[in-house]
Amino acid sequence: MRTQDIMAKLQAKYPLEKEYLQAVQEVLESIEEVYNQHPEFEQAKIVERMVEPDRIFTFRVTWVDDRGEVQTNLGYRVQFNSAIGPYKGGLRFHRAVTPSMLKFLGFEQTFKNALTTLPMGGAKGGSDFDPKGKSDDEIMRFCQAFMLELWNCIGPDQDIPAGDVGVGGREIGYLYGMYKKLARQYNTGVLTGKGGTWGGSILRPEATGFGALYFTHHLLEKAGIDIKGKKVALSGFGNVAWGAAIKATELGAKVVAISGPDGVCHIPDGITKDMIDYMLVMRASNRDMVEDMATAYPDKAFFTAGKKAWSIPCDIALPCAFQNELSEDDAKELKANGCFCCCEVSNMGCQPGAIQYFQHNGILFAPGKAVNAGGVATSGLEMTQNAEHISWEAGEVDAKLHSIMKSIHEQCVKFGTQPDGSIDYVKGANIAGFMKVAQAMLEQGTI
Ligand code: GLU
């Protein structure tokens, strides 16, 4: 197979689906060499099949806002690949959600889930519903209307949604309530990220951020660097950034920046426990403004409008917000300010130019599908607990999460070590995930 040929066909077929094309291109470029050593993959047209989702559900979601006005949004579920397990992946509620965005996320999820070592296929879903400024009641009515359409496309052995941007514990609760009413079954395994008293795994909310820091720790260790005392810049202030801030602080690093769509908060002395707790208040307010941190902690956090986290001098950059949030210019600014490591926590958080810049300028870089896999891995652990009707203690979940992240790091090293001894984590993650899914597809025949 030639990446160029496949990309030319996809570009002609989906000319407007920029994020999807970007995600596919990155994976195909990484795997081309290995793929071509396996004529059996080529014969079974594995790549041509793998880049297309198994199916996409699209539905209208109609709900009534607090003023009594009828609102209509679009809802989607992209069931991408089920070669190694039932479809698994989050739901994103954000005004910019399109099929292209969910296709890219579902595609990435397929490889990410393969890296976790757990039996989960790839999926993603969501809606162009914008939670910003919505009341709690509006969020509930929207979630209920969304589930009214989705419920019979999902199931504990079929497709298991979870949270993503704009969908956290509260939304999963409302979604599950409606699912239970419609299905007339207490199937907790149908969604992950549930509340702790009704089937949710302990540490699931923290898991993406914790896992990202475990991965970062192993990556730095391999490079002979101690994370202690290092300055960390985070983007976002949602669930993922929150977990990352807790674990980074616990490991002895200093979180000096968090950011939002409105700008950045510089925290010169490092984020404190109170401030980390306050991130949860900010998320629950649906205001989507990081400036609130500077208002609440005027002596500790200093807000600059319109600036990104990457403008604050740091050693380690952790994009935790949205795809393509870090550009090549940002990468240059980070380097100029002394940054030596960027671990992508958001899905496809770095633009291709930024990744190339990091890789060519001696900055350690690892991609989201490896770094952030701790979230979905802990969802996998939640599914196991649900299936066994038990719940594990925090120490047990944390130890399993840590060992999964260690194994993901090892897979990246195994498949990404270059002839000169350096490690290409992008290649490593893509090849490791691809080989597992491709082999399973091959063994299951032409379907
Ligand atoms: N949305 C998260 C991700 O991007 C979690 C998905 C899940 O737990 O299913 O991996």
Side-chain angles (χ1 to χ4, degrees), residues 345-363:
V345 193
S346 42
N347 290 309
M348 210 166 77
C350 296
Q351 295 178 17
I355 299 177
Q356 269 161 28
Y357 183 83
F358 287 143
Q359 290 180 329
H360 294 146
N361 288 278
I363 295 183

Side-chain angles (χ1 to χ4, degrees), residues 107-271:
F107 182 72
E108 290 276 299
Q109 196 82 41
T110 302
F111 301 100
K112 181 197 312 195
N113 293 2
L115 288 172
T116 65
T117 70
L118 304 175
M120 300 182 289
K124 205 83 187 191
S127 173
D128 58 359
F129 170 75
D130 182 5
K132 190 174 170 176
K134 300 290 187 300
S135 71
D136 195 55
D137 279 351
E138 288 176 322
I139 302 269
M140 180 177 75
R141 286 198 294 274
F142 176 78
C143 288
Q144 291 173 338
F146 185 87
M147 188 50 84
L148 215 46
E149 280 291 330
L150 186 68
W151 77 279
N152 59 5
C153 306
I154 60 176
D157 296 313
Q158 188 182 353
D159 182 356
I160 306 99
D164 196 78
V165 175
V167 179
R170 170 183 54 179
E171 290 75 12
I172 293 294
Y174 295 147
L175 289 163
Y176 184 71
M178 189 49 126
Y179 173 84
K180 186 183 69 170
K181 201 169 169 65
L182 293 162
R184 299 196 176 205
Q185 276 177 8
Y186 207 94
N187 257 337
T188 43
V190 71
L191 289 169
T192 58
K194 299 179 290 292
T197 56
W198 49 280
S201 175
I202 197 152
L203 287 190
R204 176 62 189 88
E206 292 87 345
T208 309
F210 278 24
L213 265 296
Y214 291 145
F215 189 95
T216 306
H217 174 72
H218 285 295
L219 175 143
L220 291 175
E221 197 178 59
K222 181 88 187 153
I225 301 167
D226 190 351
I227 194 169
K228 270 206 189 76
K230 300 294 179 294
K231 283 184 283 176
V232 174
L234 298 176
S235 60
F237 57 87
N239 186 252
V240 174
W242 168 76
I246 300 175
K247 192 49 84 179
T249 310
E250 232 174 80
L251 294 176
K254 196 158 100 173
V255 175
V256 293
I258 59 169
S259 66
D262 53 333
V264 64
C265 275
H266 183 201
I267 312 167
D269 295 333
I271 202 162

Side-chain angles (χ1 to χ4, degrees), residues 234-246 249 255 257-259 267 271-286 288-290 292-293 296-297 320:
L234 298 176
S235 60
F237 57 87
N239 186 252
V240 174
W242 168 76
I246 300 175
T249 310
V255 175
I258 59 169
S259 66
I267 312 167
I271 202 162
T272 61
K273 170 144 191 346
D274 284 1
M275 294 165 88
I276 294 175
D277 290 346
Y278 192 69
M279 288 165 87
L280 293 178
V281 178
M282 286 159 63
R283 153 79 170 90
S285 75
N286 295 332
D288 212 10
M289 288 173 74
V290 81
D292 293 359
M293 182 62 88
Y297 294 90
C320 295

Side-chain angles (χ1 to χ4, degrees), residues 285-416:
S285 75
N286 295 332
R287 280 167 48 81
D288 212 10
M289 288 173 74
V290 81
E291 187 176 6
D292 293 359
M293 182 62 88
T295 310
Y297 294 90
D299 306 334
K300 294 196 171 88
F302 306 95
F303 176 72
T304 309
K307 284 278 183 191
K308 295 188 188 177
W310 324 128
S311 62
I312 306 294
C314 67
D315 300 308
I316 301 166
L318 300 179
C320 295
F322 217 60
Q323 70 266 6
N324 291 326
E325 56 173 306
L326 199 155
S327 67
E328 188 174 342
D329 285 345
D330 296 327
K332 288 180 181 160
E333 189 171 8
L334 281 166
K335 165 89 179 160
N337 284 335
C339 171
F340 57 77
C341 170
C342 173
C343 283
E344 199 181 54
V345 193
S346 42
N347 290 309
M348 210 166 77
C350 296
Q351 295 178 17
I355 299 177
Q356 269 161 28
Y357 183 83
F358 287 143
Q359 290 180 329
H360 294 146
N361 288 278
I363 295 183
L364 297 162
F365 174 78
K369 61 171 78 67
V371 179
N372 74 28
V376 72
T378 308
S379 280
L381 301 177
E382 183 168 321
M383 287 158 66
T384 304
Q385 294 169 75
N386 296 156
E388 292 184 17
H389 301 282
I390 52 164
S391 55
W392 298 328
E393 286 174 5
E396 192 167 354
V397 176
D398 197 31
K400 286 190 163 70
L401 168 64
H402 198 154
S403 109
I404 289 171
M405 296 316 295
K406 188 160 176 269
S407 141
I408 295 173
H409 181 261
E410 281 161 7
Q411 293 176 65
C412 291
V413 172
K414 179 174 168 200
F415 289 98

